[in-house]
Amino acid sequence: MPAAAALKVLVVDDQNSVRQMTRLTLEQLGVRHIHEAANGRAAMDTASLQPLDLIISDFNMPEMDGLGLLRAVRGHPVARKVPFILLTGRGDRELVVTAAKAGANNYLIKPFTAAILREKIEQVMGKLS
Amino acid sequence: MASLEQLKQTFFDECAELLQDIEVGLTEMREGGASDETVNAVFRAVHSVKGGAGIFGFTGLVEFTHVFETVLDEVRHGGLAASADVIDVMLTASDVLSDLVTMSRSGEPIGAGYGEECRNALQHLIKVGDGGAAADDEGPAPADFEDFDFVPVPAEGFDAPEGAEAVTDGMRCYAIMFRPKPEMLKNANEPLYILRELRKLGELDLTAHVGLPPLSELEPDHPYIGWTGTLRSAATRAQIDEVFEFVVGDCELEIVEADPISVVTTMIEAVVWPADLALQDSPERDDVAAAPKVTPEMATSAKSADKAPGVQPTKPAATTTRVELEKIDRVVNMVGELVIAQAMLGQIVQGLPEDVSGRLAQMLEEVVFHTRELKDSVMSMRAAPVGSVFQRMPRLIRELAAKTGKKVRLETVGEHTEVDRSIIERLGDPLTHIIRNSVDHGIESPAERLAAGKSEEGTVRLAAEHRGGRIVIEVRDDGAGINPERVLKKAREKGLIGMDAVLSDEEINNLVFLPGFSTAEAISDISGRGVGMDVVRSNIQDVGGRITLKSERGRGMTIQLALPLTLAVMDGMVIKVGGETYVMPMPAIVECLRPSRGDVQNLVGSRGMLQLRGDLVPLVGLGDLLDVRSTPGAASDSVVIITEAGDESRFGLIVDELCGHQQVVIKSIEESYGSVPGIAGATILGNGRVAFILDVDKLSDLAVNEMSTVGSAGLAHAGSSGLAA
């Protein structure tokens, strides 16, 4: 049972507002260690240097998109086992299918509530305490 | 922690940028210079607006952006050709979207059916793109796929994701590792063609692995690249083998049909890439793949993987940071105070005995230098490219063209020219008005243009450049220009000039700047009522700018705005007249001189003309203009400052004394006193006293009056407004 307060989460989104909103929601769940990155490339830099427990990433981003990041993470010797939740819009079924194949652990449809975020994280990480 | 309200504001700020990206991208597409990346960037921007709008609960925005996004998706996937018509619909959509964002921001309810027409047009495009089939998800995609059988993969079990099995839908997944050997190139087999063939079979996702040996060992004809990845395809194994048929012996090849993730990851571990070879001597080599230990090599290998084809092209990472304008303003103010304190210090040092002041003055010199650097840096922080104003204009032109039925093209030049934000903020309205005028009154209808031997499409050119410490913005159209007879007639009718006044063409042109002047036979809803060119002129003059107009009948009109680069600090020359101290802006000063008696020719009245290197420059006493009692004396006893006003006319101002050059902080006096002709503002000098900053352009106007009415006392005087410091 992972303790929310001990989780190290990386939030990746090119939109600052969405990133902050995700951070706010995570904070509501008791998560305290939150890293942020504005695109896949920056996220990969963080992922190679920081021990992470979870990556929550948007799909549509400049430089390197969410799928690119997912593949880079899965191909990375250290970060490859970090659970990955893909943020997506409604109706992006194709994307979710592709992401699942590329090794995403779960997906999250924007907009989401704290309850849904918790549910999705727990499906991947086990019950949060 | 940021509040929800603050986050919303952040979102709207982002929207403003995204909308600009959309507009710029679409315009680029419209002009035909767009790459796939442009389309993608526009798509991403619209998608981002949609995503944020969803999160912050702006449903109206979500609905509209969804349709817009679907069209863009069709375009970027080639389902819909980006013809001019299609892009025009999208440009309109970007305008509607911009309105929707504005409404959402202000909390204004979005009227039912707002943007309906545009939305329908977009939806029509989706249908076209689908080859007649209706779009599968109109509106905000009611079909959520929460029920979709994505099995979340528990973290500990993701090496063998069951979820992946659930979504194979008849497609097979092959993990591929392909690394050409040198022989392959020698046998004239091109790896790229093989990858292309492979791509034809299905969805191909590859990561390139590049590993270069040290330069001394590099063989120029060897392929130092390999790929791993997956192919999702309905093709059989045999079909895939067929692609590699001719190169089988000339490359390392592994094709495995299986669950994608585990295979790929194990394969990546198994394959020793040339880059890794270099590490083999290192005792850490075995740890690289397995142990969670970060080495620089890993960072580089991760980076080289990033350069894989299929990943979007690399743009240099922007190293910018967002700072609230208010914070920068605070620094600007502090710099201003610093400039004043430093001037005071200078004054004190001057008053000290030589033996004490020597070294102090030297140090002060250094402080002055650094303050100037500091000022320049802060000012450049506040500066922004005028492009942000220019970017609003394409939409304006489109709307105007649609309303008037004219064909108009907008050209912009120099949108990267930087100027202080405070100026930019005040540029929007005047420019909008000038452009409206150009399209509404200047550019002719297509038929008229053809008849006049011009191209059907009119051009409005918007240009910005730095010139002599100012920014000059020019709006030029190739329309009909000003019709002097009509202007004259109108001015007479309105009693703006006497019935028998004889005016030069230039004077006639400038009549349009008179309050209450409007030549349009019928006032259209475009150029508006009430607001005329006089307001534009006073707006520009309020920020210390100057507006000039040139018109060529039948060829077009040019309106030029010359504005100061900043409103906060400037270089000034401190001068004295009749015991009063004033500051003259440095950019306006051409030269200062003490003329010899013979150089001054008295013509009419007492002032006369100055003979300056063959030219005659009219002289006028600053004391007379401002009505301060000047020490009586001829021009030859005083100092003459040759100034150049915005219209390039030169005249000599007679002053009593030059006190020196210094940076001054501009303080507005308009809030306290209203606008005073000839005075641009005030500043605090080193001695702590207030001095007025002169407005040279206005002084030039006053001087013209003075010269033409020597002896009369009918001028507006600063002194008579009770302003003497």
Side-chain angles (χ1 to χ4, degrees), chain A residues 16-27:
Chain A
N16 188 23
S17 58
V18 177
R19 223 158 57 222
Q20 297 311 319
M21 199 65 196
T22 311
R23 170 186 275 273
L24 211 63
T25 320
L26 280 168
E27 281 168 349

Side-chain angles (χ1 to χ4, degrees), chain B residues 107 229 257 382 539 585 679:
Chain B
E257 182 188 349
R382 274 184 58 99
N539 278 348
I679 303 293

Side-chain angles (χ1 to χ4, degrees), chain B residues 335-409:
Chain B
V335 170
E337 296 301 320
L338 198 61
V339 168
I340 292 169
Q342 170 207 296
M344 289 183 173
L345 209 56
Q347 203 99 21
I348 294 169
V349 171
Q350 264 182 7
L352 293 174
E354 188 86 21
D355 53 325
V356 192
S357 72
R359 186 147 165 64
L360 212 50
Q362 211 179 341
M363 279 314 294
L364 193 65
E365 200 64 27
E366 213 146 297
V367 175
V368 170
F369 176 75
H370 291 311
T371 318
R372 193 176 295 269
E373 292 266 290
L374 181 63
K375 184 213 84 178
D376 289 349
S377 317
V378 175
M379 286 305 156
S380 71
M381 265 186 236
R382 274 184 58 99
V386 287
S388 58
V389 182
F390 283 15
Q391 266 155 8
R392 292 190 235 157
M393 302 308 161
R395 170 175 187 182
L396 181 70
I397 294 270
R398 277 202 300 282
E399 286 177 353
L400 291 172
K403 266 187 199 160
T404 56
K406 296 174 182 176
K407 290 197 171 167
V408 192
R409 195 165 59 90

